[in-house]
Amino acid sequence: MKRTLYRNLESMLLATVIATSASATLAQTPAKRSFNLPPSADLNYAINANQRGLPLNGTAIIHWKTDKATYSITTETRAMLLGKILEAKSEGTIDAFGLAPLTSTEKRYRKDPTTATFNRDAKTISFSASDASYPIKGGEQDRNSVVWQLATIARSTPNKFKTGASIPLTVVGQKDADAWVFKVNKAEKIKTATGDLNTIKVSRVIKDGDKDQKLDIWFAPSMEWYPARVRITEPDGDFIEQTLTKADPV
């Protein structure tokens, strides 16, 4: 009789331990989510820039491709007289946080290419241009994928894109990673080669006194939430602005 009671008690304790362990695992693992990514497309842009006091014009093309399980972003920017000034590529998978980069590569004018590698097995981010290393906690983006992660958030969870909302993201550059916060601004109408577009502007929040790169993105809800305009402004006032001229589904 006692042995039977002991066996029953042991079984109950074991079941409790297993249940507790499973609950802890579920609490630590983000729930699987279904993300609504923008459809694959080739996007053409006109470039307007000011670099070291010199005005520059040019073109850019972004190849955005996804099969809902993986993605790739390839960007090529050309300036008049100078030719190709930037090549960038980000590719990865889709996980419980959205876009999950595996590699991000940049090749700037007259500079060697640099690569940030997201080692998902080791849960670390490493860089070809520095000895820095950062842990992967989930949701980290590179500077190419972050625009498309924001578009994916807008399409998947519209309640997070209300005016005044803040969206925190860890953004990986070519040498390090930083905590960025984006603010959703009021709707704006902008002029493009495809006509006037109603857009939602999202801006990186820069604290007073910080000398950080600013990023403004104008998303077009009527065009699958593609970025209709992107403007990068340096602390010294230099900027690069690209405005959509054509979007072709692929």
Side-chain angles (χ1 to χ4, degrees), residues 26-211:
L26 289 172
Q28 294 170 4
T29 305
K32 292 289 185 182
R33 291 173 54 189
S34 176
F35 289 96
N36 182 11
L37 280 69
S40 299
D42 290 337
L43 308 173
N44 291 265
Y45 294 85
I47 299 295
N48 172 38
N50 191 303
Q51 299 290 297
R52 297 180 181 177
L54 297 175
L56 292 174
N57 294 299
T59 60
I61 183 167
I62 297 177
H63 303 284
W64 158 255
K65 294 183 180 180
T66 179
D67 59 7
K68 308 306 180 184
T70 63
Y71 80 89
S72 68
I73 309 158
T74 304
T75 302
E76 183 178 295
T77 303
R78 293 179 175 272
M80 293 180 64
L81 303 179
L82 296 178
K84 191 183 297 184
I85 60 173
L86 173 65
E87 292 177 274
K89 185 171 185 178
S90 172
E91 54 187 355
T93 62
I94 311 301
D95 68 7
F97 297 93
L99 273 62
L102 295 175
T103 59
S104 172
T105 303
E106 287 187 7
K107 171 67 174 74
R108 295 184 178 274
Y109 183 63
R110 292 182 177 177
K111 292 185 178 180
D112 293 331
T114 57
T115 300
T117 301
F118 296 71
N119 189 325
R120 298 285 165 183
D121 292 332
K123 296 187 180 301
T124 58
I125 304 167
S126 59
F127 307 86
S128 65
S130 77
D131 295 328
S133 179
Y134 291 83
I136 292 178
K137 298 180 179 179
E140 293 84 3
Q141 302 298 317
D142 59 60
R143 295 196 180 194
N144 297 307
S145 69
V146 66
V147 174
W148 296 90
Q149 173 74 348
L150 288 167
T152 298
I153 292 172
R155 292 168 59 90
S156 305
T157 52
N159 60 308
K160 291 187 177 182
F161 253 69
K162 294 180 179 179
T163 302
S166 294
I167 302 172
L169 289 170
T170 297
V171 180
V172 174
Q174 290 304 296
K175 292 183 178 181
D176 54 21
D178 291 300
W180 288 16
V181 176
F182 291 90
K183 181 179 179 180
V184 180
N185 300 298
K186 294 181 179 179
E188 287 189 20
K189 182 175 285 188
I190 66 171
K191 293 184 179 297
T192 75
T194 62
D196 290 353
L197 286 176
N198 292 317
T199 65
I200 302 297
K201 183 182 178 183
V202 178
S203 302
R204 180 189 175 191
V205 177
I206 304 296
K207 295 180 181 179
D208 291 341
D210 285 356
K211 294 183 178 180

